[in-house]
Amino acid sequence: MAMRLTGTFLDAVVADIPSNNWGRAEWAADFDAMRAVGIDTVILIRAGARDRAVFDSRVLRDACDVMPAYGDLMTLFLDEAERCGMDFYYGTYDSGAWRGGAHQREADLNMALADEVMERYGSRRAFRGWYICHEIPRYHEGAMVVYERLARHLRGLRDLPILISPWLLGRKEFPQDYLSPEDHEKNWQRVFERIQGLVDIVAFQDGLCAFTDLPAYLDVNARLCRNHGIACWSNVENFERGGVPMKFLPIDWRHLRYKMEAAEAAGCSKLITFEFSHFMSPQSMYPSARHLYRRYAEWLGIDL
Amino acid sequence: MAMRLTGTFLDAVVADIPSNNWGRAEWAADFDAMRAVGIDTVILIRAGARDRAVFDSRVLRDACDVMPAYGDLMTLFLDEAERCGMDFYYGTYDSGAWRGGAHQREADLNMALADEVMERYGSRRAFRGWYICHEIPRYHEGAMVVYERLARHLRGLRDLPILISPWLLGRKEFPQDYLSPEDHEKNWQRVFERIQGLVDIVAFQDGLCAFTDLPAYLDVNARLCRNHGIACWSNVENFERGGVPMKFLPIDWRHLRYKMEAAEAAGCSKLITFEFSHFMSPQSMYPSARHLYRRYAEWLGIDL
Amino acid sequence: MAMRLTGTFLDAVVADIPSNNWGRAEWAADFDAMRAVGIDTVILIRAGARDRAVFDSRVLRDACDVMPAYGDLMTLFLDEAERCGMDFYYGTYDSGAWRGGAHQREADLNMALADEVMERYGSRRAFRGWYICHEIPRYHEGAMVVYERLARHLRGLRDLPILISPWLLGRKEFPQDYLSPEDHEKNWQRVFERIQGLVDIVAFQDGLCAFTDLPAYLDVNARLCRNHGIACWSNVENFERGGVPMKFLPIDWRHLRYKMEAAEAAGCSKLITFEFSHFMSPQSMYPSARHLYRRYAEWLGIDL
């Protein structure tokens, strides 16, 4: 049987994707739809970004100028993950400021926030992984500091797998400025040397290169992971990139399938996606997501 | 009980928001949905823009190169407003040319158009206000001329409240070029001196600044209104701005609530929104609007 | 009775419009919806673009780096066209490279692909026309070569009508750099001299100029066609252009009607649209398309 998507990110504060505006009932229906197609892992893409957060955190309220959360999506997601027998990965907070040099503060803040999270939610059965949300496409010294300090702290709080999901400078999104698979490998070699032993899983985003370049990048990614004792997942993005002015809408099913098959061929051990709820859920605000779900279920041989 | 949205704009020719393509039945259902959540005021955002108009106006046909209206949305909106017990504000025509210097012509044209509107629709019971649609974010001499000439003429036709809804140069939309709340106050002080006694209500758009900057701008707006004897409403925009590439989709319910609470805290006397039909209607072309409506109704304690 | 839309393009690989993600059942429902409003002609906008194709072509696999097609949309479309009594026009493949000078290769590749298409699908009853998909807005020598070589080859394979659908440099999309109707005529005079006797039908796209400029462009187009013995159709685009940041969503019904009436007034002999399935289908991923369909059916006097 072909590999399927078994993990998805959860996108719960508006960063660049607008809100589905779901309440508890709609989220519950969404978890049912995930479970029906074999999702066993949900990864919070971020606990917060800039002025917004998924729960009313004392740490964020004190340190940043955040809006009220008006609810507790951490609890909702953990409830649903437990009801559906899924693993939940907690994703860190992204202030946006670390790229410009404030990486020590980003690490400090996230360490304090992780302490609060552990205290409030650490006893939850579904709490099974850490996701460091600070994304880079190439070596970045500030990010290395965030990864090192944060990974040590998170593992100290609880020894759970630590995931990152980098992007890459592919030809589709960066026609002027892309890294070829060879240059990508040289560049990421430096990163992997730094994160070896700290990060357990790397799931590169697969949507930024031309589709037909993907196998070459996936080979590089798998080799880098293998050589550094890191698990290689693939983040099989389920929204369309490249040439389409509407950013972002559900991907063509044929494109998703192509990328899944490429990841399997490269030897990735698990396929996750960004993300189920907007781009392939029957509940999504984008009606073509419902049709993507149907195509995917047909392909899996699931009778909806 | 918390303040709720009691007014909405009506957007009936395509300017920057695409058409819902509704006919009479869909508009009627929409007015029912508005009434169910307490909307008592509907404000036509503009009678026309450039080459399009909401009714076949003799004045616009003679003076501008407009397309046929293929119907009469003025009558439809007045019918619906009367059926639902709502006040209707008429919004002026925006040629787009007044920013570049043709403000005298803009005033002349709109005075003639208002005469025609008064003749055709002036007897309608729901006709209860004037909205001057020419929007500015800071002092603009041409706009002052339009406001002065038009406000005097409109009030002469019928003594009804006159509303404007300016934008503001906030950090979210204008990161390089924003006015701080202090600079905003100095700038708008000049405008308020000119419009005092002419304009009755000012409802600033609230979506252009960072959410957490909003309370400071609202305080300025409320003070400016108070000091000049003008009613202070807030235009609580219900579409997402800032960072989201899809322009424009329904706002996250938490963001809308935050802005409503901020407007209430600043002492605004009425909350209106731009606009119900695209961004929070169960009939909207954007499915997440239906969910925003549900969240809003839940919060109001209304059982749909 | 007013002229109606009797043809539509079919958009079946993602170029700039995201996928509806339909399978056989959804496409069948869509053809039913087309037939219900009088569509008798479907035109494949392109057999492929860059790395994607509507069927697993040996020619494209050998010559280009294409992804698997995972199905055969040529067969599906021909089946549906035959079931619904429609004519099917085959659209060529667009590598994207011909604009930059590779026009001889584009012609060669498309000639070989047309041979393969003729061999596989040439016996199908609905196969009734050729569409050369390489679009230009003004004289372009490389395109002339593609048109000349390809038109001769296609007609040699089977003597069916050959259609092109150019754009034009109108004021709405090209405010700095547009061609007035007079300049458009001079420019296209050169093109028509070259394509006379090769191309049978020209259907200019009608969405790029200001609505109220359209009659003047349509007069030019009709005269050019008349003077060169070419049928003049109009491609009445059914998505909104101009000022609307969301590219692309269904057009306002009033705008569509205005453009249809303008094309009829100019003497166009057939109205086609780009395209039914995304922008005016009751099945579309864009809910406002369903309402456009309703408005259109109402206008036709069809009781859905």
Side-chain angles (χ1 to χ4, degrees):
Chain A
M1 196 176 82
M3 274 184 94
R4 58 174 69 183
L5 304 169
T6 55
T8 180
F9 283 97
L10 299 171
D11 185 39
V13 297
V14 175
D16 51 2
I17 315 281
S19 175
N20 267 315
N21 276 315
W22 288 345
R24 178 165 280 276
E26 291 93 349
W27 275 113
D30 211 50
F31 272 75
D32 287 339
M34 291 178 199
R35 181 170 51 178
V37 291
I39 298 290
D40 59 28
T41 306
V42 289
I43 304 149
L44 183 64
I45 185 81
R46 52 186 81 82
R50 303 190 305 274
D51 54 4
R52 44 207 85 162
V54 297
F55 72 99
D56 276 315
S57 156
R58 179 184 40 74
V59 167
L60 292 179
R61 220 162 39 226
D62 290 352
C64 317
D65 200 14
V66 290
M67 290 186 281
Y70 300 116
D72 181 350
L73 286 171
M74 281 291 289
T75 295
L76 188 154
F77 291 150
L78 286 161
D79 286 351
E80 290 302 320
E82 290 177 358
R83 183 177 68 80
C84 296
M86 297 172 183
D87 290 348
F88 174 87
Y89 281 58
Y90 163 78
T92 53
Y93 168 85
D94 188 340
S95 73
W98 60 276
R99 287 179 216 271
H103 46 272
Q104 295 289 7
R105 184 180 184 277
E106 191 80 7
D108 290 338
L109 179 61
N110 266 297
M111 286 157 63
L113 179 61
D115 293 346
E116 183 182 9
V117 164
M118 191 45 46
E119 186 189 315
R120 290 176 70 146
Y121 308 105
S123 65
R124 296 298 302 253
R125 181 163 43 91
F127 200 120
R128 302 288 274 273
W130 302 108
Y131 169 63
I132 302 180
C133 78
H134 302 82
E135 297 175 11
I136 50 171
R138 65 193 313 164
Y139 188 86
H140 180 287
E141 182 57 29
M144 295 306 108
V145 173
V146 171
Y147 293 169
E148 285 171 343
R149 294 191 57 207
L150 213 39
R152 288 200 183 98
H153 187 79
L154 296 175
R155 201 178 304 279
L157 283 175
R158 181 168 307 167
D159 189 13
L160 296 172
I162 296 176
L163 167 70
I164 62 172
S165 184
W167 33 308
L168 55 79
L169 295 166
R171 206 159 37 115
K172 185 152 69 185
E173 290 287 304
F174 305 94
Q176 309 306 323
D177 196 30
Y178 67 96
L179 294 181
S180 69
E182 296 69 33
D183 292 338
H184 171 74
E185 182 157 19
K186 279 182 214 144
N187 205 288
W188 277 90
Q189 177 68 30
R190 282 181 73 196
V191 180
F192 274 73
E193 284 164 14
R194 288 286 288 273
I195 63 175
Q196 184 164 22
L198 293 169
V199 167
D200 302 288
I201 313 161
V202 174
F204 276 95
Q205 300 170 27
D206 74 349
L208 298 116
C209 60
F211 289 117
T212 49
D213 290 347
L214 181 59
Y217 286 101
L218 284 166
D219 281 345
V220 169
N221 298 343
R223 185 164 50 245
L224 284 166
C225 285
R226 214 163 38 235
N227 291 346
H228 295 86
I230 288 176
C232 187
W233 295 2
S234 191
N235 178 356
V236 188
E237 295 179 336
N238 60 2
F239 57 97
E240 200 73 71
R241 291 193 193 251
V244 177
M246 295 265 260
K247 292 184 177 177
F248 303 100
L249 286 175
I251 199 170
D252 189 298
W253 156 238
R254 295 164 293 186
H255 299 174
L256 188 67
R257 178 172 168 188
Y258 177 82
K259 298 194 300 174
M260 291 172 63
E261 293 178 351
E264 179 170 14
C268 294
S269 61
K270 187 177 176 80
L271 308 186
I272 62 176
T273 190
F274 183 90
E275 41 83 84
F276 185 86
S277 305
H278 283 93
F279 301 120
M280 64 186 300
S281 162
Q283 270 77 238
S284 168
M285 61 194 281
Y286 303 122
S288 59
R290 180 168 57 246
H291 288 99
L292 179 57
Y293 187 75
R294 282 191 202 157
R295 298 288 84 73
Y296 182 63
E298 271 173 18
W299 178 73
L300 291 176
I302 293 174
D303 204 15
L304 292 177
Chain B
M1 195 175 81
M3 273 184 94
R4 59 175 70 185
L5 304 170
T6 54
T8 181
F9 284 97
L10 298 171
D11 185 40
V13 297
V14 175
D16 52 0
I17 315 281
S19 175
N20 267 316
N21 277 315
W22 288 345
R24 178 165 279 277
E26 291 93 349
W27 275 113
D30 211 50
F31 272 76
D32 287 338
M34 290 177 199
R35 181 171 49 179
V37 291
I39 298 290
D40 59 29
T41 306
V42 290
I43 305 148
L44 183 65
I45 184 82
R46 51 185 82 82
R50 302 191 305 275
D51 54 4
R52 45 208 83 164
V54 296
F55 73 100
D56 276 315
S57 156
R58 178 184 42 73
V59 168
L60 292 179
R61 220 161 41 228
D62 290 352
C64 315
D65 201 14
V66 290
M67 291 186 280
Y70 299 116
D72 181 349
L73 286 171
M74 281 291 289
T75 295
L76 188 153
F77 292 150
L78 286 161
D79 287 351
E80 291 302 322
E82 290 176 359
R83 184 177 67 80
C84 296
M86 297 172 184
D87 290 348
F88 174 88
Y89 280 58
Y90 163 79
T92 53
Y93 168 84
D94 187 341
S95 73
W98 60 275
R99 286 179 217 271
H103 46 271
Q104 295 289 5
R105 183 178 185 278
E106 191 80 8
D108 290 337
L109 179 60
N110 266 296
M111 285 158 64
L113 179 60
D115 293 346
E116 183 182 10
V117 163
M118 191 43 47
E119 186 189 315
R120 290 175 69 146
Y121 308 105
S123 65
R124 296 298 302 252
R125 180 163 43 90
F127 200 121
R128 301 288 273 273
W130 302 108
Y131 169 62
I132 302 180
C133 78
H134 302 82
E135 297 175 11
I136 51 171
R138 65 194 312 164
Y139 188 86
H140 180 286
E141 182 57 30
M144 295 307 108
V145 173
V146 171
Y147 293 170
E148 285 171 344
R149 293 191 57 206
L150 214 39
R152 288 200 183 97
H153 187 80
L154 296 175
R155 200 178 304 278
L157 284 175
R158 181 166 309 166
D159 189 12
L160 296 172
I162 297 177
L163 166 71
I164 63 171
S165 184
W167 32 309
L168 57 79
L169 295 166
R171 206 156 41 112
K172 183 151 72 185
E173 291 287 304
F174 305 94
Q176 309 305 323
D177 196 29
Y178 67 96
L179 294 180
S180 69
E182 296 68 33
D183 291 338
H184 172 74
E185 181 157 19
K186 279 183 213 143
N187 205 288
W188 276 90
Q189 176 68 30
R190 281 181 73 195
V191 179
F192 274 73
E193 284 164 13
R194 287 287 287 274
I195 63 175
Q196 185 164 21
L198 293 170
V199 167
D200 302 287
I201 313 160
V202 175
F204 275 96
Q205 300 170 29
D206 74 348
L208 298 115
C209 61
F211 289 117
T212 49
D213 290 346
L214 181 60
Y217 287 101
L218 285 166
D219 280 344
V220 169
N221 298 343
R223 184 163 51 242
L224 284 166
C225 285
R226 214 164 36 236
N227 292 345
H228 296 84
I230 289 177
C232 187
W233 294 3
S234 190
N235 178 355
V236 188
E237 295 180 335
N238 60 2
F239 57 96
E240 199 73 72
R241 291 193 192 251
V244 177
M246 295 265 260
K247 293 183 177 175
F248 303 100
L249 287 175
I251 199 169
D252 189 298
W253 156 239
R254 295 164 294 187
H255 300 173
L256 187 68
R257 179 172 168 189
Y258 177 82
K259 297 193 302 173
M260 291 172 62
E261 292 178 350
E264 179 170 12
C268 294
S269 60
K270 187 178 176 81
L271 307 186
I272 62 175
T273 190
F274 182 89
E275 39 83 84
F276 184 86
S277 304
H278 283 93
F279 302 120
M280 63 186 299
S281 162
Q283 269 77 238
S284 168
M285 61 194 282
Y286 303 123
S288 59
R290 180 169 55 246
H291 288 99
L292 179 56
Y293 187 74
R294 281 191 204 157
R295 297 290 85 72
Y296 182 63
E298 270 173 19
W299 178 72
L300 291 177
I302 293 174
D303 205 16
L304 292 177
Chain C
M1 194 175 82
M3 274 185 94
R4 59 174 70 184
L5 304 170
T6 54
T8 180
F9 284 97
L10 298 171
D11 185 40
V13 297
V14 175
D16 52 1
I17 316 281
S19 176
N20 267 314
N21 277 315
W22 288 345
R24 179 165 280 276
E26 290 92 348
W27 275 112
D30 211 50
F31 273 75
D32 287 339
M34 290 178 199
R35 181 170 52 179
V37 290
I39 298 289
D40 59 29
T41 306
V42 290
I43 304 148
L44 184 65
I45 184 81
R46 51 185 83 82
R50 302 191 305 273
D51 54 5
R52 45 208 83 163
V54 297
F55 73 100
D56 276 315
S57 155
R58 179 184 40 74
V59 167
L60 291 179
R61 219 161 40 227
D62 290 352
C64 315
D65 200 15
V66 289
M67 291 186 280
Y70 300 115
D72 181 349
L73 286 172
M74 281 291 289
T75 295
L76 188 154
F77 292 149
L78 286 160
D79 286 351
E80 290 302 321
E82 291 177 357
R83 183 177 68 79
C84 297
M86 298 172 182
D87 289 349
F88 174 88
Y89 280 59
Y90 163 78
T92 54
Y93 167 85
D94 187 341
S95 73
W98 61 276
R99 286 178 216 270
H103 45 272
Q104 295 289 6
R105 184 179 185 278
E106 192 81 6
D108 290 338
L109 179 60
N110 266 296
M111 286 158 64
L113 179 60
D115 293 347
E116 183 183 10
V117 163
M118 191 44 46
E119 187 189 314
R120 290 176 69 147
Y121 309 106
S123 65
R124 296 299 301 254
R125 181 163 42 91
F127 201 121
R128 302 287 273 274
W130 302 108
Y131 169 62
I132 302 180
C133 78
H134 301 82
E135 297 174 12
I136 50 170
R138 65 194 313 165
Y139 188 86
H140 180 287
E141 181 56 30
M144 295 307 107
V145 173
V146 171
Y147 293 170
E148 286 171 343
R149 295 191 57 206
L150 213 40
R152 289 201 182 97
H153 187 80
L154 297 175
R155 201 178 304 279
L157 283 175
R158 181 167 308 166
D159 189 12
L160 296 172
I162 297 177
L163 167 70
I164 62 170
S165 185
W167 32 308
L168 56 78
L169 295 166
R171 205 156 42 112
K172 184 151 70 184
E173 290 286 304
F174 305 95
Q176 309 305 323
D177 196 29
Y178 68 96
L179 294 181
S180 69
E182 296 69 33
D183 292 338
H184 171 74
E185 182 157 20
K186 280 183 212 142
N187 205 288
W188 277 90
Q189 177 67 28
R190 283 181 73 195
V191 179
F192 274 72
E193 283 165 14
R194 287 286 288 275
I195 63 174
Q196 185 164 23
L198 293 169
V199 167
D200 301 288
I201 313 160
V202 174
F204 276 96
Q205 300 170 29
D206 74 348
L208 297 116
C209 62
F211 289 116
T212 49
D213 289 347
L214 182 59
Y217 287 101
L218 285 166
D219 280 345
V220 169
N221 298 342
R223 184 162 52 242
L224 285 166
C225 285
R226 213 162 41 234
N227 292 346
H228 295 85
I230 288 176
C232 187
W233 294 2
S234 191
N235 178 356
V236 188
E237 294 179 335
N238 60 4
F239 58 96
E240 199 73 71
R241 290 193 193 250
V244 177
M246 295 265 259
K247 293 185 177 175
F248 303 101
L249 287 175
I251 199 169
D252 189 298
W253 157 239
R254 294 165 293 185
H255 299 174
L256 188 68
R257 179 172 169 189
Y258 176 82
K259 298 194 300 173
M260 291 173 61
E261 292 178 349
E264 180 170 13
C268 294
S269 61
K270 187 177 177 81
L271 308 185
I272 61 175
T273 190
F274 182 89
E275 39 83 86
F276 185 86
S277 305
H278 283 93
F279 301 120
M280 63 187 298
S281 162
Q283 269 77 236
S284 167
M285 61 194 280
Y286 303 123
S288 59
R290 180 169 57 245
H291 288 100
L292 179 56
Y293 187 75
R294 281 191 202 156
R295 298 288 84 74
Y296 182 63
E298 271 173 18
W299 178 72
L300 292 176
I302 294 174
D303 204 17
L304 293 177

